[in-house]
Amino acid sequence: MSASKTRYITPAMFFIIIGGTAAFIIYLVTSQAPPTTIMNIPDIRISTVILMVLAASIPILFLEYYLLAVPIAFIFLFGNRILKAASYEMNIMNIGRKFSGRHMIRRTAAPALFAVAWSDIPFVRDFIETWVFIIPPEGYSFLHEASLSLMSALIFMPVALLIFMPTWVLNDSGIVTHLKEGKLDIRQCPDTQGVGRWLSGIFGGYALIAFPMTMFTTHLYNPYFAVGAWPSEIELLNSLLLIAGLPLFVMAFILPVVGFNERSQTRVRKNIAGFASKLGATIVRKERIEKAQRIVREGILTEAAGKEIVSTAKSMSTQKQNDRKVVSSRKSTPKKKDNSKKKKK
């Protein structure tokens, strides 16, 4: 883990600016609702309640990470061990510690896309429209759909974190699987992969496919194409900005959890490493990649002296010519006579 505290500056600015903008949009479209009674509190505005919930959600997400991230990581690790036991070994790799603010922001992208991809669930949107009373200001009707999708995505954000927080824990702990030595004799490429990356690749791949489909259906097809209308340039621009902005808003609210994960590295790595060692994992050094000779398109694999080498059709032809020259030179060179015996006589 990087020791520099300055790496938190960029994520903090991202959270303040982008997260503050998201909170302002929600406040703007809910502040027009009349005061009501909620939880025996009379004359309270729904906008105030939502801002209070958003403020309280940060420590709640911290508690979710503290209580559930490591236990769920244990379950993922055990399941991976069972599924890959026949062909793979599990190890703890001594990985690097550098993790900048840019990497923290990138880490929030997959769970944010996953949460936004589920924001089109009808019963959740109906619940929000029934109880939140979204009333956008005059001339800002597009904010209705923006705030509805944003609040729906924020509801699914804790669910997405339950899936992705354990993968962060496993990645940071350096838990990897690699093919057993006997499997390398088969025509199969060496395969070393982090357990956390394997899982995040599965769920992140789903989010990457589901996100554009959900956004197109919710913000372009249903409101325009399904009813035989074509969006104007302003409407199309608003829809595209909304599609691009929604993941950024959700990413901002995930960033505090990523920062909390960074501050919990010592405890988390110790627990994960202890459980992995019980499953048979041992510590290995970080892989080192060394460059070999240049490989061209027509290269083929051969074996020589127990090592794999790369030869090309051209190099093989050249090698054959050189071998022929060596053989012919040996034949043409006369053998030196041994006159030592004659001299003795």
Side-chain angles (χ1 to χ4, degrees):
M1 180 182 68
S2 176
S4 175
K5 294 183 179 180
T6 58
R7 64 196 179 108
Y8 294 102
I9 294 177
T10 302
M13 295 299 296
F14 189 98
F15 171 72
I16 293 172
I17 296 173
I18 305 299
T21 302
F24 176 73
I25 291 174
I26 293 175
Y27 176 81
L28 195 63
V29 299
T30 57
S31 60
Q32 305 298 320
T36 184
T37 299
I38 300 176
M39 299 179 63
N40 296 325
I41 303 175
D43 298 331
I44 187 171
R45 293 188 177 275
I46 193 66
S47 57
T48 304
V49 174
I50 292 176
L51 292 181
M52 291 171 61
V53 170
L54 288 177
S57 65
I58 303 302
I60 291 175
L61 292 176
F62 289 166
L63 185 63
E64 179 186 19
Y65 173 89
Y66 186 83
L67 295 177
L68 299 176
V70 173
I72 296 177
F74 286 168
I75 296 173
F76 285 172
L77 195 59
F78 183 75
N80 179 271
R81 181 63 176 147
I82 296 299
L83 291 174
K84 294 189 173 184
S87 301
Y88 287 82
E89 294 180 358
M90 180 180 293
N91 291 112
I92 307 170
M93 184 169 287
N94 186 19
I95 59 175
R97 296 292 179 267
K98 183 178 179 181
F99 205 78
S100 64
R102 175 172 55 88
H103 294 104
M104 295 184 204
I105 295 175
R106 288 177 56 186
R107 173 166 275 184
T108 63
L113 291 176
F114 189 90
V116 175
W118 283 86
S119 64
D120 192 35
I121 302 298
F123 76 88
V124 176
R125 297 171 71 88
D126 294 341
F127 171 82
I128 294 173
E129 287 192 299
T130 302
W131 294 99
V132 177
F133 308 108
I134 300 175
I135 306 174
E138 186 177 354
Y140 294 90
S141 58
F142 67 93
L143 289 179
H144 176 277
E145 196 63 32
S147 57
L148 182 59
S149 296
L150 175 58
M151 285 187 278
S152 180
L154 291 177
I155 289 175
F156 280 101
M157 182 180 66
V159 179
L161 287 176
L162 279 178
I163 296 173
F164 284 92
M165 287 189 303
T167 66
W168 304 344
V169 168
L170 294 172
N171 284 331
D172 295 339
S173 301
I175 309 299
V176 299
T177 56
H178 62 87
L179 278 174
K180 293 181 177 178
E181 187 175 353
K183 295 293 181 179
L184 296 176
D185 296 333
I186 307 171
R187 190 167 56 212
Q188 192 170 359
C189 294
D191 183 16
T192 301
Q193 188 179 31
V195 176
R197 183 173 293 277
W198 175 68
L199 290 165
S200 61
I202 294 174
F203 296 111
Y206 162 79
L208 200 61
I209 295 173
F211 168 74
M213 295 176 62
T214 300
M215 292 295 97
F216 174 77
T217 302
T218 305
H219 302 294
L220 289 175
Y221 181 78
N222 288 339
Y224 301 113
F225 303 131
V227 297
W230 183 263
S232 64
E233 292 182 359
I234 298 298
E235 291 173 333
L236 182 61
L237 179 61
N238 290 335
S239 297
L240 293 177
L241 289 175
L242 172 60
I243 292 172
L246 274 176
L248 296 178
F249 291 147
V250 180
M251 287 168 62
F253 288 97
I254 297 176
L255 268 175
V257 187
V258 176
F260 189 76
N261 173 66
E262 290 300 306
R263 305 303 298 175
S264 306
Q265 286 292 294
T266 303
R267 175 185 66 87
V268 167
R269 288 170 60 86
K270 181 180 178 181
N271 292 335
I272 294 295
F275 185 75
S277 62
K278 292 179 180 179
L279 295 178
T282 56
I283 298 177
V284 295
R285 293 184 178 181
K286 184 169 56 177
E287 287 184 328
R288 181 179 178 183
I289 300 176
E290 297 181 357
K291 292 184 178 180
Q293 61 183 6
R294 184 171 178 267
I295 301 175
V296 294
R297 291 182 181 274
E298 65 270 23
I300 59 173
L301 289 175
T302 60
E303 290 187 3
K307 296 181 179 179
E308 287 189 345
I309 60 172
V310 175
S311 301
T312 66
K314 183 177 179 180
S315 63
M316 291 174 67
S317 176
T318 304
Q319 183 64 35
K320 288 180 180 179
Q321 293 178 3
N322 293 336
D323 293 342
R324 289 172 185 171
K325 290 180 181 179
V326 171
V327 172
S328 61
S329 62
R330 287 177 179 175
K331 290 182 179 179
S332 60
T333 303
K335 294 183 179 180
K336 293 183 178 180
K337 295 181 179 180
D338 191 1
N339 297 325
S340 59
K341 294 182 179 180
K342 291 183 179 180
K343 288 181 180 180
K344 287 182 181 180
K345 290 180 180 180

